[in-house]
Amino acid sequence: MLLLALWRRLGRRSSAAGHVRCFSSAQALPSAEDFAARRREDALLGEIDARYPAFMVWGCNTDVGKTLVSTGMAAALLSPGKSQKSHVLYVKPVQTGFPDDSDARSVTQRIDSLVGRSESIFLSNRTMWLSDEASKKAALTKRSTDSSGSWKNSANSVKSSSSLTCETLWSWCAAVSPHLAAQQEGGGASDDELRKVLRSSLWEFGAGASQTGRSWAFVETAGGVASPAPSGTLQCDLYRPLRLPGILVGDGRLGGISTTLAAYESLLLRGYETICIVIQDMGLGNNQHLSKQLHNRVPVFVIPAVPKNPGDDLAGWFHDTSSTFVQVVSLLEDAYHKRIQRLREMPKKASELLWWPFTQHRLVPEENVTVIDSRSGEFFSVYENKHGRFAQQFDACASWWTQGPDASLQHELAKQIAYAAGRYGHVMFPENVHEPGLRCAELLLQGVGRGWAHRVYISDNGSTATEIALKMALRKYAVDHGFLTNQGDKKPDFKVLALRGSYHGDTLGAMEAQAPSPYTGFSQQPWYSGRGVFLDPPTVCCQNRKWQLRVPERYGTIATELAWDAREDVFALGRDNTELAKIYSSAIEKEIMSSQGSLGGQTIAGLIIEPIIHAAGGMELVDPLFQRILTQQCKCHKIPVIFDEVFTGCWRLGAEFGFFDERLFACKSAWELLGCKPDIACYAKLLTGGTVPLAATLATQDIFQAFEGASKLDALLHGHSYTAHPVGCSAAVTALEWFKDPSKNPNLLPGTSRLQEQWDPELVAEISSRSSVERVISLGTLMALELRSTSSSQKGYSSLLSSGVVKELRQELGIYTRPLGNVVYFMCGPLTKPSVCSSLLRRMLKVLE
Amino acid sequence: MLLLALWRRLGRRSSAAGHVRCFSSAQALPSAEDFAARRREDALLGEIDARYPAFMVWGCNTDVGKTLVSTGMAAALLSPGKSQKSHVLYVKPVQTGFPDDSDARSVTQRIDSLVGRSESIFLSNRTMWLSDEASKKAALTKRSTDSSGSWKNSANSVKSSSSLTCETLWSWCAAVSPHLAAQQEGGGASDDELRKVLRSSLWEFGAGASQTGRSWAFVETAGGVASPAPSGTLQCDLYRPLRLPGILVGDGRLGGISTTLAAYESLLLRGYETICIVIQDMGLGNNQHLSKQLHNRVPVFVIPAVPKNPGDDLAGWFHDTSSTFVQVVSLLEDAYHKRIQRLREMPKKASELLWWPFTQHRLVPEENVTVIDSRSGEFFSVYENKHGRFAQQFDACASWWTQGPDASLQHELAKQIAYAAGRYGHVMFPENVHEPGLRCAELLLQGVGRGWAHRVYISDNGSTATEIALKMALRKYAVDHGFLTNQGDKKPDFKVLALRGSYHGDTLGAMEAQAPSPYTGFSQQPWYSGRGVFLDPPTVCCQNRKWQLRVPERYGTIATELAWDAREDVFALGRDNTELAKIYSSAIEKEIMSSQGSLGGQTIAGLIIEPIIHAAGGMELVDPLFQRILTQQCKCHKIPVIFDEVFTGCWRLGAEFGFFDERLFACKSAWELLGCKPDIACYAKLLTGGTVPLAATLATQDIFQAFEGASKLDALLHGHSYTAHPVGCSAAVTALEWFKDPSKNPNLLPGTSRLQEQWDPELVAEISSRSSVERVISLGTLMALELRSTSSSQKGYSSLLSSGVVKELRQELGIYTRPLGNVVYFMCGPLTKPSVCSSLLRRMLKVLE
């Protein structure tokens, strides 16, 4: 906001070009108001025009000739004799040393002298914003006074002429790094603003110019790839959400192989594509070595060294380089067309070759396939062929509940993953130890396992973590209750106690712990037999601004009228002394006793629950009182208790471990809140910050000891090849540390392990009062609503009731959701700003109208 | 070998230092013979002394002051007044511009003038090898003539004096990049040689000096981090197997933030630790911005700018920087001690906190825990506290059969993984498409799926791939045989046909397809019921130089005498017409018919086999004739066929897909060889080149269509959160392309998709003739032997017979193996040189004596 105060001379147009011949463009010039509007543009709806090629121009260092390369490319595109006219946009988002240095002016002047003399060409050069100092100096030196006067709009002639539009977005006077210039002279643009304005420039240029010939844009960065932007953010991070492909200008001098490759790798690490490298020939053959190192996949072009004492216009040098730049441009054009062609064909190929999980392919026409070109933090960049654009969509399903990173954490994860892959690749784990595996275990025990867990068993995904947990629980029960020693010939029929609607994974063992559902039918899994005793849980939800308890009929009618004003009341430990607690308790006890020993040796040998939220089961909030009592009673019967926190763990519900009562500040984790500890718990999904599969099953020492013995055959004989793979463990270490670090997670409430409320309670209450909404829950990073159905066919997993809502959110409002039947949910990350969440909620309200 | 011819003046010692005072060292100076021996040293047994701190000195560019920083650190260590004496080794492995430039001489001279005047200090400077040109010029300029004459061995006094030993290993005259100098002047050192000699220098220094005070070593690189070494290999790649922690000398100039960070990231990407960054103060505050970007995790030290016209000895500058260098050295010392302390405590912590798969913790005393510090290609770097060293061990279990990369591919995988993480993190897959997922599917269909598969279902690991395959097969059978439409109330009891000894994973569904074993007992998995009809397979193995068929008794005695001289004969298609084929055929038919419909609706609804090799079942080679006939007959009965190629696929057996008959050049993949195609096949393990978990289940279009329907409920309702995660898919794309690229895989036989024989048949035959060996197999990347047991307790999974062999291989011979009962195996990667394999086999022969 300080920056806004410093914002002056908004939209000032200055042309520092001495020889601006005329200005023209099919699009209207942005006015001061336009520019202000660009800065206010909705960040959720950023988009990039894909109908014309646009490239970043990067340098491996400062002073390697980026602007000359930009000029060379522009000249190749604008040079005489082209049957089709070209429109080139050159953008310098950040210029320091202005007005003495103006790369945009330099491009304009050189193109004027190289091309303009022989070709009818419309040239323009303008600077959008100048610092006070830059402005004063520009006035003094008269280098930017001949600006607006020379603009001439000749919209009719533009169709038959090529054009060069040069834009400098922000200019400072000091010839230093932009972050220092902004510190010294003020007026620094925030990253969001800078991206918005740049996106607008590209969009407006495309909208105006694309129908009148070939359009091209080059965005030239300042300094090296990792030089700071005005905000201090590295430029390679700043521009990442746009992810334009790039040209890297390398260094042909001694040491240049190293700086060029290192810069290339820094771009790679951030997910950029580098189409080619251009270097000056300093007689060292750097280009050959670079080509070899890059396995010839990135072409390296050589241009003659720039004369040390260049004349006025480097005309000779440009003449010598022109054929090379024609090649460069041809390569870029080819890369652009190949990219777009591939993006276009992807939906068809995907429909033909892929077999998507949980998808009836017949119901997914090609045009409904989403082409995800990249992700930056919470946002997808989606290619939309219909609109010829890359659209930004908020990933509101958190990619199947795995996502947590913002753009900074995503980059940090990429770095740490790269480090682990470079250091270890994968190394085997049993009887071995490596740093990421050990550190991951330590962090889990200090975090989610604090106070109860002693051992960490690492596997690949939620489903394997659950299978392992079940094996642990059943062994423990068998040991404690004498089933291993007194077994005889007849094996007991071990069952687990579980809640109807809970979900634990898709491998057979995990499915056996789930109640019958569409997932478990004969046609899906003929081997499923349902090895559980399944209870109907009471649930809670927000309806018309009230938190309402819903108790299954079997528990009697006493509690059906219960409701609370605040969500926190649902979690109050005081509820332990209510009449309802007694009802739950006796119902549960009856269930355990009646199942135990019945039906030919049936024995309840474990309890498995998803704490608080049944996720895949439709985002149901289970009454925590019920789960607390259930856990306590199983403990009394020496039935091992498994918390399946694959979904709920690692900050998903607003706290590191499961749910955290906001009023219980002393409380450190869910088991303390629940008043009971699990014996075993499973973690996955957010564990790696949403990068690669990894899972952990934590257990008490008691559980572990049930597998100790003299023989290897007593050990838990379960494992996966990539157990504790260093890449996943490093990602987990990075994410676990980041989320709980107050310097990195602005959502952390000071002194706690809890997140501030991300979903504005007032907006959530508003949604709960809409007539089309059956119920709402919000907790931690989750906000879910169930649409009210009017017929029974609109209920359940296969319901299509939500498809209209989902379609509008995706196509019109930039929100990628994936419904669960008629439940639509938004899921953000632990780092997502509440303002972004509110923006999502307001869009939902709009759709619900 | 050409290089050997150019090798001259071996071991020449030259001191180019003008003021060498005296030389001394507790260790003997290496002679020419020593130096030659260093170069010949066994590459399998490289080790690094961990008893003293050794660091790389890297530069973010050339000419940023690396040598001054090295000097400053040496001065801080050697400066007067230390109670404990210091011994510093400075190594410049590669020097160009010699003798005009000699960084080692410069360090020697400066330390002499800075420290030597006030302190009794032993200085030495020598150059191990010079090119002809460098040698001539040195003679002309008399800069290296006063060499050997000035050495003085005063071993008695060394204990009370500090010492500086400067070594230049290779020197060239031209002041250009080492790869150009080596091209021009000859005598380039190979990477292996250079590493060997460097390792020896470090080892000899440590052996001699470590008992007489503090020892330190600095290895100063040439140019920037990614500048080429003499061989052309980048230095950051060259030195990677040693993985010494490093100091990065950054750049304080404009653009220096970018080049410093980019260099840091290039080191990170290769798994190096950078302890701190040192930069000159150019007034731009680069250090502050660097600190912020590195989240203060890598300290950044600032030193004054080096005067542009330095005097003789920069005495003033060194004076000004001395306190900073004392801090730098103190930080390095601290980092060293913390690192070693952590390595020491890791076995204990691991024993306390981890729960290893397939491990009886009681049988693993702390001292048996292997601390894996890193991997480079096929080699682990293992910290051995007992010996105070990092030892190199060949990962002969290929980390549970996942590994394929050499050091180059490991780095490429790290890069591509980093790119995918930077570009996508993870994005959800159903109804979506992204480039790595689609490309991975395309490559699998063009490769292992060519000619039969049409769809790719991506999941997380071998076990999930198998569960998915089973669901596919059972559905297809149910559809084809009318079980979905005519089902009624009674569900059929679906079984799969499988071979005894085969293994398909540890989740319950995969286990159900396995015959009862120690893994499946009640104490391990009470829910296991064994949903298979299990056949005993005939096997083949090499015994006493003959390939011998072993047929279970039930098939009669006719074939028990069959044996072949060559392994290829076992795979000959001509065997289809033998008497044995008829015996197999009728036995299989009988089994299918007798199981079908018996026992209350039991139905064989699928076949699942591991083609050719039963891996976890003890590395048994199953008679391919038997598997071929089995597959054909199931097809006749419309029983879907699953090939579980989790172990055998992706080059593990010497071809992209399963096994490849060397005589059938027209033959492109295993199904052609077998004369029958699977309907479904599973891939994992090597799929990602051994980096992260990922699996693929390929299927025919017929299988896919069994899930098509009007309702979502007909779809395959199975999925995992990280389905087709871009990081894993990118790794798979990289590995799949690399292994079959003749320019990258030297083991590829020209024009084929097969690898040359990696295990020397003569050595394998020799092993098979040893009395202690029961049987041997070798195929593709696998060589396995079963030790002959003399009692029944020595057989099976829990046998400890092999422990002596394994211990000797690990502790004495640098080979990390993990036995399967009394089966010991070596597994290399598809890129491993046959010479390395031979070296392993010779060691095995030694152990078997």
Side-chain angles (χ1 to χ4, degrees), chain B residues 787-828:
Chain B
L787 294 168
R788 185 159 287 158
S789 55
T790 50
S791 72
S792 65
S793 72
Q794 290 178 340
K795 285 189 176 165
Y797 180 63
S798 59
S799 165
L800 300 173
L801 180 61
S802 59
S803 59
V805 171
V806 168
K807 196 172 170 185
E808 189 175 344
L809 287 170
R810 276 200 207 179
Q811 294 183 359
E812 308 296 328
L813 297 169
I815 304 178
Y816 182 96
T817 61
R818 185 177 160 93
L820 284 162
N822 46 10
V823 173
V824 181
Y825 63 88
F826 286 166
M827 204 178 291
C828 63

Side-chain angles (χ1 to χ4, degrees), chain B residues 72-95:
Chain B
M73 294 189 294
L77 288 164
L78 297 167
S79 61
K82 300 277 178 192
S83 61
Q84 202 187 11
K85 297 303 167 190
S86 292
H87 303 286
V88 176
L89 172 68
Y90 168 90
V91 187
K92 182 85 180 181
V94 174
Q95 177 73 57

Side-chain angles (χ1 to χ4, degrees), chain B residues 470-600:
Chain B
L470 288 166
K471 285 182 177 177
M472 288 176 179
L474 301 186
R475 167 74 72 90
K476 174 66 175 161
Y477 189 88
V479 168
D480 281 356
H481 298 263
F483 283 99
L484 290 187
T485 45
N486 311 323
Q487 193 181 332
D489 280 349
K490 184 147 177 58
K491 290 181 188 174
D493 181 12
F494 276 179
K495 300 273 183 187
V496 289
L497 199 58
L499 300 185
R500 224 173 279 276
S502 71
Y503 168 89
H504 307 290
D506 291 337
T507 56
L508 181 60
M511 285 176 76
E512 289 287 15
Q514 291 155 228
S517 76
Y519 306 83
T520 63
F522 175 78
S523 73
Q524 288 295 335
Q525 175 49 288
W527 290 351
Y528 170 82
S529 60
R531 296 178 191 262
V533 171
F534 302 105
L535 308 183
D536 284 313
T539 59
V540 180
C541 62
C542 185
Q543 287 177 306
N544 212 0
R545 299 174 177 272
K546 284 270 187 187
W547 289 86
Q548 182 79 41
L549 183 69
R550 293 172 164 197
V551 181
E553 276 179 23
R554 62 186 310 168
Y555 301 104
T557 54
I558 180 163
T560 50
E561 295 304 308
L562 264 178
W564 299 271
D565 286 335
R567 191 187 59 203
E568 292 74 49
D569 298 328
V570 177
F571 292 90
L573 287 179
R575 291 182 60 210
D576 282 4
N577 305 318
T578 59
E579 193 59 25
L580 183 63
K582 286 179 201 154
I583 292 170
Y584 285 168
S585 179
S586 69
I588 290 165
E589 188 64 21
K590 202 170 131 196
E591 199 70 58
I592 294 176
M593 294 316 291
S594 72
S595 300
Q596 214 69 332
S598 71
L599 296 172

Side-chain angles (χ1 to χ4, degrees), chain B residues 620-823:
Chain B
E620 292 276 8
L621 197 166
V622 180
D623 187 356
L625 175 65
F626 182 81
Q627 289 192 328
R628 185 157 62 238
I629 292 172
L630 185 59
T631 302
Q632 285 163 343
Q633 278 177 248
C634 283
K635 294 240 170 182
C636 290
H637 290 278
K638 293 199 84 172
I639 295 170
V641 174
I642 302 167
F643 284 0
D644 173 354
E645 291 229 292
V646 169
F647 171 74
T648 60
C650 302
W651 302 98
R652 184 53 75 207
L653 300 187
E656 193 170 3
F657 176 109
F659 183 76
F660 198 96
D661 185 349
E662 293 187 24
R663 295 174 314 172
L664 297 170
F665 281 85
C667 202
K668 289 289 179 201
S669 59
W671 58 261
E672 289 181 72
L673 173 68
L674 287 175
C676 51
K677 309 168 186 178
D679 301 296
I680 302 161
C682 307
Y683 298 87
K685 291 194 186 284
L686 245 173
L687 177 60
T688 60
T691 50
V692 290
L694 187 84
T697 306
L698 273 64
T700 63
Q701 194 70 0
D702 276 354
I703 297 283
F704 178 74
Q705 281 162 352
F707 291 83
E708 284 191 323
S711 164
K712 182 163 180 181
L713 298 179
D714 296 323
L716 180 45
L717 301 180
H718 184 118
H720 298 282
S721 315
Y722 285 93
T723 293
H725 55 100
V727 167
C729 289
S730 292
V733 167
T734 306
L736 291 170
E737 288 181 338
W738 192 285
F739 288 137
K740 69 179 175 190
D741 181 345
S743 74
K744 286 164 186 150
N745 186 349
N747 286 335
L748 271 183
L749 288 171
T752 74
S753 301
R754 292 174 300 122
L755 305 178
Q756 64 174 312
E757 198 73 55
Q758 291 172 288
W759 305 103
D760 180 345
E762 182 47 40
L763 289 171
V764 171
E766 180 69 23
I767 288 173
S768 80
S769 67
R770 293 298 156 102
S771 63
S772 54
V773 172
E774 174 68 26
R775 65 179 176 95
V776 174
I777 59 164
S778 76
L779 197 59
T781 66
L782 170 69
M783 193 292 301
L785 62 87
E786 183 175 338
L787 294 168
R788 185 159 287 158
S789 55
T790 50
S791 72
S792 65
S793 72
Q794 290 178 340
K795 285 189 176 165
Y797 180 63
S798 59
S799 165
L800 300 173
L801 180 61
S802 59
S803 59
V805 171
V806 168
K807 196 172 170 185
E808 189 175 344
L809 287 170
R810 276 200 207 179
Q811 294 183 359
E812 308 296 328
L813 297 169
I815 304 178
Y816 182 96
T817 61
R818 185 177 160 93
L820 284 162
N822 46 10
V823 173

Side-chain angles (χ1 to χ4, degrees), chain B residues 14 180 591 843:
Chain B
S14 81
L180 295 178
E591 199 70 58
R843 284 171 161 78

